[in-house]
Amino acid sequence: MGLRTASRLDRADEAQGKSTKMNKTVSLPASLLSAGSKAYSDTYTIREAAEMLDMSLRTIRFYEEKGLVRPLREGTERVFTPAEIDALRTAQKYRNIGLTLREIKTMLGELSQISRAEEQNVIIKRYMQQRLKEIESELEHSKKQEQLVLRLLQKIAEATPETSMAVTDEA
C-alpha cells in the first residue's frame, strides 16, 4: 500500500466522522524535540498547550485519541509535558504540509526507532518527496480544470441569447 492509499482512507473516515483508531502511541525522537523546551518537570494544561500552539482544544483531544500524544492525568485534567507539546507541534507542522494523521503517526513511529539525525532525515525526505509528487499531481489536475472552465467561459461569451450552455457536450 502506498503512502497515500492509507491517507485517503484516513481522510474519508475523518470526513464521515468515523473513528480511525490507531491504538499505539508514538514517542517523538529526542532529535525532533524543540531546543527551547522547558525542563521536563514543567507541565502544561490542555488550555495552556492550545494557547501555546494556537491549536483548538478539540484538535488536541483528537490527536490524543489518535495516539499522537498521551498526556498524564491529574484527576480529570490532562497534563502535557514538553515532549507532548513537541509532538503536537510536529503533528501540526506536518498536517500543514498536507500529511494525514495516519501518515504522521507512521512517520513518527519510524523516526522513534532511529536515533541518528541523518537516518531520520532520510525517512522525512521520503515522505516529503511523496507529498511533493502528490502536490504536483493536484496542480496538474487543477490546471486541466482551469482550462475547461476557461473554454466554457469563452463558449458562453460567444453564445447567442438563444444558446444555453447548461446542456452541452462541448467545453
Side-chain angles (χ1 to χ4, degrees):
M1 184 182 312
L3 291 177
R4 294 309 282 191
T5 305
S7 66
R8 284 192 185 98
L9 296 173
D10 192 46
R11 279 195 187 122
D13 288 345
E14 287 175 20
Q16 295 176 2
K18 293 179 183 175
S19 176
T20 54
K21 293 287 184 197
M22 297 181 279
N23 296 325
K24 183 182 170 203
T25 301
V26 292
S27 300
L28 196 63
S31 62
L32 292 180
L33 298 178
S34 298
S37 291
K38 292 169 63 173
Y40 281 87
S41 61
D42 293 337
T43 58
Y44 306 90
T45 66
I46 190 170
R47 290 195 189 293
E48 291 170 329
E51 191 173 301
M52 183 186 323
L53 299 167
D54 193 28
M55 190 181 283
S56 71
L57 299 174
R58 184 174 178 215
T59 298
I60 293 174
R61 288 184 188 112
F62 184 70
Y63 286 1
E64 178 185 4
E65 178 186 316
K66 296 299 180 185
L68 290 172
V69 292
R70 190 170 308 270
L72 303 170
R73 297 281 183 153
E74 287 182 3
T76 60
E77 186 74 26
R78 290 170 175 85
V79 179
F80 293 83
T81 66
E84 275 111 15
I85 298 297
D86 287 334
L88 289 168
R89 186 176 288 119
T90 299
Q92 185 178 45
K93 176 174 94 175
Y94 288 114
R95 283 293 290 148
N96 289 339
I97 288 171
L99 296 182
T100 66
L101 291 181
R102 186 176 290 174
E103 289 171 320
I104 293 166
K105 185 169 182 171
T106 301
M107 181 177 68
L108 291 178
E110 290 177 37
L111 293 171
S112 70
Q113 304 298 314
I114 300 168
S115 60
R116 290 186 50 217
E118 182 179 9
E119 293 173 13
Q120 290 177 347
N121 289 340
V122 168
I123 291 170
I124 294 168
K125 182 179 178 181
R126 185 179 79 231
Y127 278 87
M128 294 304 101
Q129 286 173 330
Q130 178 64 32
R131 180 65 187 129
L132 186 58
K133 286 179 188 176
E134 293 163 3
I135 290 169
E136 290 167 349
S137 176
E138 291 165 8
L139 287 171
E140 184 179 318
H141 181 72
S142 292
K143 193 68 177 165
K144 288 177 183 176
Q145 287 180 327
E146 177 188 39
Q147 292 304 313
L148 290 172
V149 168
L150 289 172
R151 274 190 253 143
L152 184 55
L153 286 171
Q154 183 63 36
K155 293 277 186 186
I156 291 170
E158 296 169 356
T160 63
E162 300 81 32
T163 308
S164 171
M165 297 306 293
V167 180
T168 181
D169 290 336
E170 296 181 35

